[in-house]
Amino acid sequence: MTAFVDDLSSFVLSLNEGKKELFLAPPHWMILSNGDADFHDNVIFFGFDAKKSDPVLVAKVARLVENGWMLRMEYDHLIEMWNCIGEDAESYIPKPYAMTTLQERPVLVISYVSGESLARLSPKSFWKDRKRVSALAKEAARSLRNLNRLTERPIGQFGSIESRFVEKAEKFRDLFQITGEEERALTAMVEALNIRTASAKHKILIQGDFWHGNMLRDKKRKNLMFVDWQFARWSVDVSLDLYFFLLAGALSATVNESAGQHAAGAFRLLNEWRKDVIPEYLFAYGVPEDYVLLPQKYGMLLCCVEKSVRSALEFGYSHPDDLVWRSLFAELMNWSNEN
């Protein structure tokens, strides 16, 4: 470990912006210790300047070498975001410094975002307080829409955008026993996506994992910052990001239960949110004109399919949470169509 840290320090000292060296002295490193970390998660190093109490940079190291593609994906999309937005990007996302390989391990170096995770600021009880949930949801929706406006680009400028939803729907069928009604819903979702995406004129860069655990409250500006962009991608459909925030919040309020009970509790809470939280959230985001936002039921079912098959498709194994998302899919089959 000492040799790796030395190599990491040497690499950081070589970084520069134009003719200016980014760091004049080797940082002091602290490794994030998380006993609950999945073996596919990255190892996180925080780099400290001797004169500052907060870290000045973050180094993400792939725990498994074969997962280096995630770091490359995050680096590439952060670069794209900064190119699209310019210096205003610092109000939303970390700054990518470099992507490299040290001792055969992929390493991503980015700026440190000074703030507190909303996962800590939003405990289980928070999600049952509709007034507080609505305030956060509206703020998240407005921030997401601002990001979408900043990255929105005509499709023709970059070529067509392919959706992998058909592949994910097939994987969903392979992994789980589904009912006839669920099969018809999957088929209808594919048709709805095909129709709507065919008429989309613009694409946006979605985060792919837009939930409160990937949001920080900036210490100085107090605005929301967004981290962990390894599942980001260009899309003509914002449904995954927009609806995932709601589902993840509802699931956070109902934990330590069986998959079926967990999903049923989240569904009950989502139904309570239909009175005010969800309409206020969607109103705060607005109606996109040139890209796709699916109706509530299809959008939430799409999130469940995406999350329940992601581990199997990307890593080749099933995660315990996959069954929770599959169970939530079954619950959401009872979601009545909105007016």
Side-chain angles (χ1 to χ4, degrees), residues 105-142:
R105 291 195 174 276
V107 179
L108 169 63
V109 181
I110 59 177
S111 65
Y112 173 75
V113 176
S114 179
E116 189 169 2
S117 170
L118 292 195
R120 294 192 183 96
L121 295 175
S122 310
K124 181 179 177 181
S125 59
F126 172 90
W127 297 99
K128 297 182 179 180
D129 184 335
R130 291 220 302 266
K131 185 175 181 180
R132 295 170 67 195
V133 170
S134 183
L136 175 61
K138 287 185 287 186
E139 182 183 11
R142 287 190 291 265

Side-chain angles (χ1 to χ4, degrees), residues 10-24 75 95-98:
S10 297
F11 175 74
V12 166
L13 287 176
S14 72
L15 297 177
N16 58 73
E17 286 184 320
K19 296 181 179 180
K20 179 184 177 182
E21 294 178 339
L22 284 174
F23 305 100
L24 300 178
Y75 175 73
K95 187 169 188 175
Y97 287 138

Side-chain angles (χ1 to χ4, degrees), residues 290-302:
D290 294 316
Y291 54 91
V292 176
L293 173 59
L294 292 173
Q296 293 173 29
K297 182 173 182 176
Y298 281 169
M300 290 191 285
L301 288 176
L302 178 145

Side-chain angles (χ1 to χ4, degrees), residues 60 74 92 94 113 207 213-216 225-229:
K60 293 186 174 186
E74 181 169 8
Y92 296 97
V113 176
Q207 203 234 14
N214 285 337
M215 299 179 189
L216 302 175
M225 302 283 290
F226 306 100
V227 297
D228 290 343
W229 288 78

Side-chain angles (χ1 to χ4, degrees), residues 36-328:
D36 295 328
D38 188 276
F39 62 91
H40 284 283
D41 289 342
N42 300 308
V43 179
I44 309 296
F45 290 84
F46 294 101
F48 289 81
D49 186 304
K51 299 178 181 179
K52 298 181 180 180
S53 58
D54 282 338
V56 291
L57 77 163
V58 176
K60 293 186 174 186
V61 183
R63 194 183 299 267
L64 299 179
V65 174
E66 58 267 30
N67 288 342
W69 64 269
M70 288 196 301
L71 295 179
R72 168 56 65 179
M73 184 79 70
E74 181 169 8
Y75 175 73
D76 289 345
H77 286 313
L78 285 174
I79 289 288
E80 285 182 300
M81 292 283 285
W82 276 80
N83 288 339
C84 286
I85 303 173
E87 291 302 315
D88 288 343
E90 68 177 1
S91 298
Y92 296 97
I93 58 176
K95 187 169 188 175
Y97 287 138
M99 181 75 201
T100 190
T101 300
L102 298 175
Q103 297 187 11
E104 299 183 352
R105 291 195 174 276
V107 179
L108 169 63
V109 181
I110 59 177
S111 65
Y112 173 75
V113 176
S114 179
E116 189 169 2
S117 170
L118 292 195
R120 294 192 183 96
L121 295 175
S122 310
K124 181 179 177 181
S125 59
F126 172 90
W127 297 99
K128 297 182 179 180
D129 184 335
R130 291 220 302 266
K131 185 175 181 180
R132 295 170 67 195
V133 170
S134 183
L136 175 61
K138 287 185 287 186
E139 182 183 11
R142 287 190 291 265
S143 297
L144 178 62
R145 187 60 186 269
N146 286 338
L147 273 177
N148 293 156
R149 287 192 180 102
L150 290 167
T151 64
E152 188 174 353
R153 297 290 185 273
I155 295 175
Q157 187 175 342
F158 297 93
S160 62
I161 302 295
E162 293 184 5
S163 170
R164 292 181 60 195
F165 184 73
V166 172
E167 176 190 2
K168 292 167 185 175
E170 285 298 327
K171 193 65 176 179
F172 188 81
R173 295 182 178 99
D174 291 342
L175 290 175
F176 308 107
Q177 185 175 359
I178 63 175
T179 67
E181 184 182 7
E182 290 173 332
E183 174 59 44
R184 288 189 289 274
L186 277 176
T187 301
M189 287 168 63
V190 171
E191 292 176 354
L193 269 174
N194 287 340
I195 293 171
R196 290 170 181 261
T197 57
S199 61
K201 299 176 182 178
H202 289 179
K203 69 175 185 175
I204 52 173
L205 189 58
I206 64 171
Q207 203 234 14
D209 212 12
F210 190 79
W211 71 295
H212 60 280
N214 285 337
M215 299 179 189
L216 302 175
R217 176 73 65 190
D218 185 86
K219 278 187 178 181
K220 295 181 180 179
R221 292 182 291 262
K222 303 301 181 184
N223 61 295
L224 295 181
M225 302 283 290
F226 306 100
V227 297
D228 290 343
W229 288 78
Q230 59 264 41
F231 294 111
R233 60 181 182 266
W234 287 101
S235 177
V236 297
D237 179 18
V238 74
S239 303
L240 176 62
D241 275 1
L242 195 62
Y243 290 113
F244 182 46
F245 175 85
L246 294 170
L247 301 188
L251 287 169
S252 295
T254 52
V255 295
N256 299 322
E257 301 173 353
S258 70
Q261 291 173 325
H262 195 169
F267 180 73
R268 287 193 295 271
L269 186 55
L270 286 166
N271 263 309
E272 292 178 15
W273 288 355
R274 292 190 80 161
K275 302 170 186 176
D276 43 26
V277 174
I278 293 177
E280 290 173 8
Y281 173 68
L282 295 177
F283 182 80
Y285 183 84
V287 180
E289 295 180 358
D290 294 316
Y291 54 91
V292 176
L293 173 59
L294 292 173
Q296 293 173 29
K297 182 173 182 176
Y298 281 169
M300 290 191 285
L301 288 176
L302 178 145
C303 290
C304 291
V305 171
E306 170 95 21
K307 290 294 292 183
S308 63
V309 305
R310 178 175 286 176
S311 292
L313 283 176
E314 305 293 0
F315 307 118
Y317 81 106
S318 293
H319 190 279
D321 287 345
D322 297 349
L323 190 56
V324 175
W325 288 102
R326 190 272 174 266
S327 299
L328 186 54

